[in-house]
Amino acid sequence: MHPDLDLPTTTPTGAGLLDGAELSADVVRTTLDQLTQAVYLYRPIFCDGRIVDLEIVYCNRAALALPLTERIVPGALASDVFLDVHVALENAETAWAGDEPERYSVLRRGVVDGALKTIRYEISTGRANDLLVQTSHDHTIDDQLEQSELRMRTVVEALDEAIVLLEPLFDDQLQVVGCRPLFANSSVRRLDALLTMRPELSLSAPPTELLRAAWDGNDPIDRSIDNLDELDPTLPAVAVDLRLERVGDVLVHVATDHTRRLVAAQAEDQAKRRFAATIDVIQEAVGVFEPIRDADGDVVDFELVHANASMSAWLPTTDRLSSVETVGGDPIAWGKAALEAPGERVRATLSMASREQPESIATISVSVVASERQVVMVGADITEMQNALATITASDDMLRAVLESLAESVRVFDADGEVILANQSSFELLGTPPGPDSTSYPYDVCAPDGSPLDEADWPLQRGQRGERVDDLVVGVQRPDDDLRICRVAVRPISEQGDSDRTRAVVVSAHDITESTRRAEQLAWISSHSTLTGMLNRLGLLDELSARPEVLEGGFIVAWARLSALESIRPTFGIETAEAAVQSAAARVRWVADSFHGHAAHMSDHEFVVIAPGSHVGASRLAEAVAKALSEPVGAAGVTLLIEPSIGTAIARRGEDPSDAMQHAQAASWAADQNGLAQERWRDDIAAGQMRRVELLGDVRRALDDGEMMLHYQPKLDVRSGHLVGSEALIRWTRPGDGPVRPDEFIPAVEASGLAGPFTLWAIRRAINEWGTVLDRHPETSVAVNVPSLLIVDPKFTRSVERELGAGVPDLKLVLEITERTVGADVESISAAIDRFAEFGVGISIDDFGTGQSSLAYLRHLHPTEIKVDRTFVAGAADGSDPVGRSVLQACVDIGRSAGVTVCGEGVETDAELALLDELGCDTAQGYLLGRPGPIDLLDAS
């Protein structure tokens, strides 16, 4: 019994629905005994105003049931019962003084059911009039459950099976409508990734109908997937058993993956069956032997480890090769020779008696081949063939000689399909040793692609039906699994006097495997890019022609032009350039797949995507291609940016895809020329394209017809005013049209393949013309503008060296490149500048100061001259740019410290010239000092 509860006869219930009602002590005691929490009533014992101990007044049944409570008796003190009484006293003080119950946890150790255990209690203490009420909850079971759950999770995580716990989700009608994963081990993620192509097999999100069936039913739901025998390359090879089962309030989804085991077993089984099928169904005798070695490692004999039925008929009961009695041959010597040259075939002939017919001596043709550990001997009984050949007349000998001289395979079959005559080429074609072989053709013949061929269509069977066949293309599957493609002719030979009865069949076969494969390879090359493996223009048009449904509802074309790729090959080399193109191709292919379209590699730096869609789709497609290609490309250890220029075109239903691609290509070219990321085809683009094409055609003609000429703008010493050099500028006057602006035709030339020849023409012309003024202006130089892409081209460097060597001696040539075109390839340009310096060519950096890395360029490039951009000169002179004077002074100081000549560009006023003189600038160029003009007007200008 629990201690007596000294309660009043009636007890107030407190506020609420029973406000004012009174309860008897028995009712209160009974109520407290029904609680699962332990309840204690304490009467505090005070000393000097502090609680020094607690008298146990009452505890309910739950308290008495807790471990370590044997010493609780009526009137007992807490200090006699609890070892951690100081914790209880501290919380009692707080609870006695406060309004809210005080909560805390304690750990108590003791012997429970004969075992030493630690028990955790959650304790709440509160004041009720002159008593303290304490409730205690034993969390031991909760902790044990938590530890059990942790152990369970650890065990489940270690299992190979994929296990996921699912919490079902319900609608208002309490019908399962979905689920939420509560726990999943790591195997679930791996299997879910494999089964992404089969969403109905998802472990974490099974179909709703399966969830309902498992929740409402009593039996688990089992499913299986095994596609190891399927040939669909888009589906992963998996073999999985799935079970969905309700356990309490959750669903447990378990998957057992048999893929690896079954794949290994399947491969092993297939290998065994192939091996058995290969040697057991053919009539040749096949035996596999392992060498027996003495203490010194020398081969002294061979032991049989496998033999087909034909081989077993010839070998004695013992498994040792030395026990075989032969005439005219030594099989052990042949085996040793084969072991000394693995893979090389040893051929020989011997005579021996059959074990089944000892009186019969047969002639056996033997072929021996060895690996490092085993020897395979293949023998064929050629007795009948040799006997038949022995009876052949002189004319038959001639026929045989003719057959053996043929490169074609020739075999003659009797009416039963037995081989009665075969030349050496037929054995080489079939990959079998010489000998009678009634099954080679039926067993090995298949379709040219290796698929099975209906028996009725086999050459031998057609010949047995009396059919005459020409140019029949079939496949021959050799025992070594090599598929040969042959062009076969069949000629039936009828019985004399009975044309309906076939006496023999002659089958000739010409091996066309290599020519067929070369033709297939050429066909592939003609329709694909060999660098990226993508379709080229021809292949794309063929693909679209074969699948007209792609274009039925209209389509969109996105043409990506990657001009930056043009500079990668001369700058970083072929390996980096090809890696960059392949990376770009992979991204374009991914975009095409996501739009259910087709992609093609059209040229070194151009790709196209064609997909179903309309105006909205064109914008989305262009954005997707631009985003994919704008990401940095890592190629051969180099990070490159290949910002694309995208041109799009929209084609209506029935429109020729060639026209749409041409429009998209023109739009991409326009975007590239205008510095735009994207451009859509418009009619005016065609006019612009035609104009550029005409310009390029006229440029070629103008160079040949002398319409191009050079004008020279002088460059003077700032202090003395003497001529120090001149810049050669290309000018073009078209007959009938007048002068063509340089900014109109020079960009078109640089974007085409004419940049090299065009620039070399200017250098050659400048060298020849400037040589005519050197006697009047010695020690002067002539400068020619050069695209930075040509500077790093080794071929261009060698061409300049040849032109300079063939020109005027002691002429000073300067090549001008703009700071904006140097870009990030400082190292390559620096190396090129050093190479030019070796044969006396200087480098001038034009528009200096307008880039972001001017100081870095001076440090790495070592130019002979820098030309300060006009914007700094004009702004500093007229006071409109307060910073301009400081920038100009800095450029002069930098050039002086680097030992580089500093030239001020665009000088048009006396004030600008005076400022350059004041700041210490070396040379100046501009309209104030002389406008560009022909070489004969240089002195006048």
Side-chain angles (χ1 to χ4, degrees):
M1 288 292 294
H2 53 73
D4 293 334
L5 176 62
D6 186 13
L7 293 173
T9 311
T10 59
T11 304
T13 62
L17 295 175
L18 300 178
D19 191 15
E22 294 184 345
L23 299 175
S24 66
D26 290 337
V27 173
V28 174
R29 181 182 293 109
T30 301
T31 302
L32 294 177
D33 282 344
Q34 299 302 315
L35 299 178
T36 58
Q37 287 185 322
V39 180
Y40 303 88
L41 294 184
Y42 299 108
R43 180 176 289 110
I45 300 174
F46 294 89
C47 179
D48 296 332
R50 295 182 58 83
I51 298 175
V52 296
D53 211 336
L54 300 170
E55 179 187 356
I56 300 174
V57 176
Y58 167 81
C59 60
N60 66 350
R61 295 183 185 278
L64 291 174
L66 291 175
L68 312 180
T69 57
E70 298 84 354
R71 289 175 290 179
I72 297 178
V73 295
L77 297 179
S79 59
D80 296 331
V81 177
F82 304 119
L83 295 178
D84 52 357
V85 68
H86 63 284
V87 179
L89 294 178
E90 291 175 1
N91 286 276
E93 284 278 2
T94 305
W96 187 265
D99 296 330
E100 296 295 329
E102 184 70 18
R103 292 177 172 84
Y104 63 98
S105 296
V106 296
L107 297 175
R108 292 173 180 164
R109 290 180 61 80
V111 178
V112 178
D113 297 332
L116 182 63
K117 295 187 177 180
T118 299
I119 303 172
R120 183 169 67 89
Y121 295 102
E122 188 75 25
I123 298 176
S124 175
T125 306
R127 179 176 178 177
N129 296 327
D130 60 344
L131 296 179
L132 289 173
V133 180
Q134 185 183 82
T135 60
S136 176
H137 182 68
D138 182 2
H139 282 278
T140 306
I141 295 179
D142 296 339
D143 293 344
Q144 291 174 347
L145 289 176
E146 183 177 345
Q147 292 175 3
S148 297
E149 182 180 355
L150 179 60
R151 286 194 294 270
M152 182 274 290
R153 285 175 176 265
T154 303
V155 172
V156 170
E157 189 64 38
L159 294 176
D160 289 334
E161 287 82 358
I163 301 176
V164 57
L165 302 184
L166 303 172
E167 178 185 12
L169 304 177
F170 301 89
D171 58 12
D172 296 340
Q173 305 299 320
L174 296 183
Q175 291 289 322
V176 176
V177 295
C179 65
R180 177 170 48 235
L182 298 176
F183 168 77
N185 64 356
S186 58
S187 297
V188 171
R189 293 186 292 275
R190 178 180 59 82
L191 265 183
D192 265 348
L194 276 177
L195 299 173
T196 51
M197 303 294 290
R198 303 287 292 270
E200 72 276 6
L201 300 175
S202 170
L203 293 175
S204 303
T208 303
E209 58 271 16
L210 290 179
L211 293 173
R212 289 179 179 174
W215 182 260
D216 297 335
N218 296 323
D219 298 325
I221 298 177
D222 294 322
R223 295 177 295 157
S224 295
I225 173 176
D226 183 352
N227 68 342
L228 297 181
D229 296 327
E230 297 181 11
L231 299 178
D232 189 349
T234 63
L235 295 177
V238 292
V240 180
D241 290 336
L242 300 160
R243 167 167 286 197
L244 182 63
E245 184 176 6
R246 177 178 177 178
V247 179
D249 293 335
V250 298
L251 294 171
V252 180
H253 209 178
V254 181
T256 304
D257 187 2
H258 304 291
T259 306
R260 294 179 181 174
R261 177 176 59 81
L262 292 181
V263 168
Q266 187 180 65
E268 181 180 1
D269 181 63
Q270 289 177 350
K272 290 181 178 178
R273 285 190 284 108
R274 275 201 306 269
F275 180 75
T278 301
I279 69 171
D280 287 342
V281 301
I282 62 176
Q283 288 192 348
E284 286 88 348
V286 180
V288 180
F289 299 85
E290 289 186 353
I292 299 174
R293 301 180 185 270
D294 59 15
D296 297 328
D298 296 329
V299 176
V300 296
D301 205 344
F302 289 89
E303 183 177 10
L304 179 68
V305 295
H306 189 85
N308 65 354
S310 299
M311 178 62 78
S312 299
W314 289 101
L315 294 179
T317 55
T318 179
D319 291 335
R320 295 295 179 91
L321 193 58
S322 57
S323 63
V324 178
E325 296 182 2
T326 63
V327 178
D330 185 357
I332 294 180
W334 302 337
K336 291 180 179 180
L339 283 173
E340 293 175 356
E344 297 293 332
R345 190 178 303 274
V346 177
R347 298 181 184 273
T349 303
L350 57 81
S351 298
M352 62 184 297
S354 170
R355 186 177 65 186
E356 298 175 354
Q357 297 177 335
E359 71 284 355
S360 174
I361 302 298
T363 302
I364 308 297
S365 173
V366 181
S367 177
V368 185
V369 66
S371 64
E372 295 181 356
R373 297 172 50 190
Q374 292 182 329
V375 171
V376 179
M377 293 190 178
V378 180
D381 186 350
I382 60 173
T383 306
E384 294 183 5
M385 178 178 290
Q386 287 195 335
N387 292 338
L389 291 176
T391 61
I392 295 178
T393 61
S395 59
D396 292 331
D397 290 335
M398 184 179 298
L399 172 61
R400 178 174 178 78
V402 171
L403 290 178
E404 290 298 338
S405 67
L406 294 177
E408 288 189 354
S409 163
V410 178
R411 286 202 166 193
V412 181
F413 299 85
D414 63 15
D416 296 325
E418 296 287 340
V419 177
I420 57 177
L421 184 62
N423 65 351
Q424 181 64 31
S425 296
S426 70
F427 294 109
E428 294 174 355
L429 173 63
L430 296 177
T432 57
D437 186 357
S438 62
T439 60
S440 292
Y441 267 103
Y443 174 67
D444 295 319
V445 171
C446 57
D449 60 357
S451 59
L453 187 66
D454 190 345
E455 182 177 356
D457 294 327
W458 292 346
L460 176 58
Q461 273 65 23
R462 296 183 65 173
Q464 288 175 330
R465 294 196 300 268
E467 295 184 30
R468 178 188 175 101
V469 180
D470 291 302
D471 295 330
L472 173 64
V473 179
V474 298
V476 175
Q477 192 73 53
R478 301 187 351 166
D480 58 2
D481 287 339
D482 183 19
L483 176 65
R484 310 302 296 178
I485 303 173
C486 303
R487 179 176 287 110
V488 177
V490 181
R491 294 292 184 270
I493 301 175
S494 302
E495 291 280 3
Q496 291 184 355
D498 188 356
S499 59
D500 294 333
R501 184 178 179 182
T502 301
R503 178 168 59 92
V505 177
V506 180
V507 178
S508 63
H510 179 62
D511 191 348
I512 59 171
T513 306
E514 301 306 325
S515 60
T516 301
R517 290 173 180 171
R518 283 195 298 271
E520 292 174 350
Q521 184 179 18
L522 290 175
W524 188 91
I525 292 174
S526 68
S527 60
H528 290 76
S529 164
T530 56
L531 176 59
T532 63
M534 297 177 67
L535 295 171
N536 58 18
R537 180 185 183 88
L538 178 61
L540 178 60
L541 292 176
D542 288 344
E543 179 75 11
L544 295 175
S545 176
R547 299 185 59 190
E549 69 276 4
V550 177
L551 312 178
E552 283 184 354
F555 57 96
I556 50 180
V557 182
W559 190 288
R561 181 183 180 87
L562 307 177
S563 299
L565 292 179
E566 297 177 353
S567 63
I568 294 177
R569 185 185 296 269
T571 305
F572 297 102
I574 294 177
E575 180 181 354
T576 302
E578 291 183 346
V581 172
Q582 290 167 347
S583 177
R587 300 180 183 188
V588 171
R589 190 183 291 112
W590 179 85
V591 172
D593 291 342
S594 63
F595 278 80
H596 306 289
H598 299 269
H601 186 191
M602 307 303 283
S603 68
D604 285 345
H605 58 280
E606 290 182 305
F607 297 89
V608 69
V609 177
I610 294 183
S614 57
H615 289 75
V616 176
S619 299
R620 290 179 52 244
L621 178 60
E623 290 293 340
V625 175
K627 182 178 180 181
L629 293 176
S630 296
E631 295 293 331
V633 173
V638 180
T639 301
L640 306 168
L641 289 176
I642 49 173
E643 294 288 343
S645 299
I646 310 297
T648 57
I650 303 169
R652 293 182 295 275
R653 179 176 181 179
E655 186 171 341
D656 189 345
S658 295
D659 295 338
M661 285 193 291
Q662 184 177 356
H663 293 166
Q665 182 183 20
S668 73
W669 201 94
D672 188 35
Q673 292 301 302
N674 297 326
L676 301 176
Q678 300 178 28
E679 182 68 273
R680 184 170 294 182
W681 164 258
R682 304 182 309 273
D683 290 340
D684 60 322
I685 290 180
Q689 285 286 91
M690 187 60 67
R691 168 69 173 163
R692 280 186 287 271
V693 172
E694 292 176 353
L695 271 178
L696 289 177
D698 288 347
V699 165
R700 293 185 178 93
R701 180 188 51 76
L703 287 175
D704 296 334
D705 294 350
E707 295 177 12
M708 297 285 184
M709 63 182 306
L710 295 181
H711 282 193
Y712 297 85
Q713 186 172 24
K715 184 165 44 178
L716 305 183
D717 185 282
V718 172
R719 283 169 290 281
S720 67
H722 292 159
L723 180 72
V724 295
S726 183
E727 180 180 0
L729 303 170
I730 299 177
R731 294 295 183 262
W732 180 18
T733 301
R734 297 176 71 183
D737 294 338
V740 182
R741 296 198 320 271
D743 60 356
E744 183 178 357
F745 70 87
I746 289 181
V749 170
E750 291 183 349
S752 69
L754 292 177
F758 193 77
T759 304
L760 285 174
W761 172 87
I763 290 174
R764 186 182 308 113
R765 187 73 171 264
I767 291 174
N768 294 333
E769 292 185 347
W770 195 254
T772 63
V773 301
L774 280 180
D775 56 342
R776 303 192 306 275
H777 304 287
E779 301 300 322
T780 58
S781 63
V782 61
V784 178
N785 291 282
V786 178
S788 60
L789 289 179
L790 289 179
I791 287 288
V792 298
D793 187 349
K795 293 182 180 179
F796 177 77
T797 305
R798 291 191 294 270
S799 297
V800 173
E801 185 176 11
R802 286 195 298 269
E803 295 293 344
L804 197 60
V808 180
D810 300 326
L811 183 140
K812 296 180 180 180
L813 177 65
V814 177
L815 304 181
E816 286 194 12
I817 58 175
T818 62
E819 182 181 347
R820 295 184 184 90
T821 62
V822 172
D825 190 22
V826 177
E827 294 184 1
S828 298
I829 293 182
S830 176
I833 290 176
D834 293 342
R835 177 73 182 94
F836 280 113
E838 292 177 3
F839 52 89
V841 175
I843 298 294
S844 175
I845 300 181
D846 202 2
D847 302 333
F848 187 78
T850 58
Q852 299 179 357
S853 305
S854 301
L855 292 178
Y857 294 157
L858 270 184
R859 185 169 65 252
H860 294 289
L861 297 185
H862 311 117
T864 54
E865 178 187 57
I866 58 174
K867 300 178 74 173
V868 183
D869 190 69
R870 164 168 171 71
T871 55
F872 299 113
V873 177
D878 62 15
S880 61
D881 183 6
V883 185
R885 182 184 179 97
S886 300
V887 174
L888 185 57
Q889 181 67 68
C891 291
V892 173
D893 293 342
I894 291 170
R896 184 180 293 115
S897 63
V900 176
T901 301
V902 181
C903 175
E905 285 190 291
V907 178
E908 297 183 355
T909 66
D910 291 330
E912 293 172 354
L913 183 60
L915 176 62
L916 294 179
D917 188 15
E918 176 186 347
L919 297 180
C921 193
D922 298 306
T923 61
Q925 181 180 356
Y927 283 178
L928 177 68
L929 307 176
R931 292 177 176 270
I935 188 67
D936 53 359
L937 299 180
L938 178 66
D939 291 333
S941 66

